[in-house]
Amino acid sequence: MAENLTVARPYAEAAFKLAREAHALDAWAQALKRLAAVAGEASVREVLGDPRITTDKLVNVFVETAGDLNHDQQNFVRVLAENERLTVLPEILELFSVQKNAAEGVLQAVVSSAFPIDAATLARLVADLETRFKAKVDATVEIDPELIGGVKIAVGDEVIDASVRGKLAAMASALQI
């Protein structure tokens, strides 16, 4: 994974530069999301490893499957195909998203919960996080049954542990003193 991130970094930076110059960060983010989904398909992964498939055919598969791509985005796919880098599209998306969020002042939050969180509760949680961090927050929810109950929130380097498991661990630590 670390090697893929290293390989993907210059491509993500190039995509970000193109997107910023065109004032199209959101359009590029959506295009990269679709392209990464195409690259993640098992049937496409098999085709990517086949030396009999030409670069033009690979580009056509990605362009047709990913939907509405502008000229620069299609050229980006061609460059990736020519350099045999289509497999790192998920990492390119990840790195592009980090740059986009930094440019827009958006913080990423990972909310781990023992149970699914409904939209209204998540909206209140995001609003509270935005107030606390004085920035826009983009939250992703992950289900972790080991938490027993409550939530654990990671925003950058800061972790807010309001889970039952975390409270039990704190209580056990306090009792051992």
Side-chain angles (χ1 to χ4, degrees):
M1 173 87 176
E3 182 179 315
N4 284 351
L5 285 173
T6 301
V7 169
R9 185 165 281 107
Y11 296 100
E13 289 171 359
F16 183 76
K17 183 178 177 190
L18 287 169
R20 181 186 267 171
E21 288 172 358
H23 303 289
L25 289 175
D26 288 334
W28 270 85
Q30 292 305 314
L32 288 172
K33 201 174 288 184
R34 294 190 309 272
L35 289 166
V38 172
E41 288 293 319
S43 58
V44 173
R45 286 226 181 252
E46 287 178 24
V47 171
L48 290 175
D50 190 341
R52 298 172 296 178
I53 306 296
T54 66
T55 299
D56 288 336
K57 286 189 180 186
L58 284 174
V59 171
N60 286 338
V61 165
F62 273 80
V63 169
E64 289 174 12
T65 308
D68 188 27
L69 298 176
N70 67 32
H71 181 71
D72 286 341
Q73 293 162 349
Q74 289 179 21
N75 283 341
F76 184 73
V77 171
R78 178 162 300 285
V79 168
L80 291 174
E82 288 171 353
N83 293 303
E84 299 178 359
R85 299 296 191 226
L86 289 168
T87 58
V88 297
L89 270 163
E91 288 82 4
I92 291 171
L93 170 63
E94 180 183 334
L95 292 168
F96 180 90
S97 297
V98 168
Q99 287 184 314
K100 178 181 178 289
N101 287 338
E104 295 175 343
V106 177
L107 298 175
Q108 287 295 121
V110 178
V111 179
S112 300
S113 173
F115 305 101
I117 298 175
D118 63 73
T121 303
L122 183 60
R124 283 194 311 272
L125 182 61
V126 167
D128 290 344
L129 290 171
E130 287 175 346
T131 300
R132 178 178 179 155
F133 291 100
K134 295 177 180 47
K136 186 171 178 348
V137 174
D138 183 23
T140 306
V141 178
E142 295 178 352
I143 304 300
D144 182 1
E146 291 185 13
L147 294 178
I148 304 169
V151 294
K152 184 174 168 182
I153 305 164
V155 179
D157 293 339
E158 188 168 340
V159 176
I160 303 166
D161 192 350
S163 68
V164 172
R165 182 180 182 141
K167 290 178 183 179
L168 288 172
M171 188 183 316
S173 177
L175 291 174
Q176 291 179 0
I177 292 178

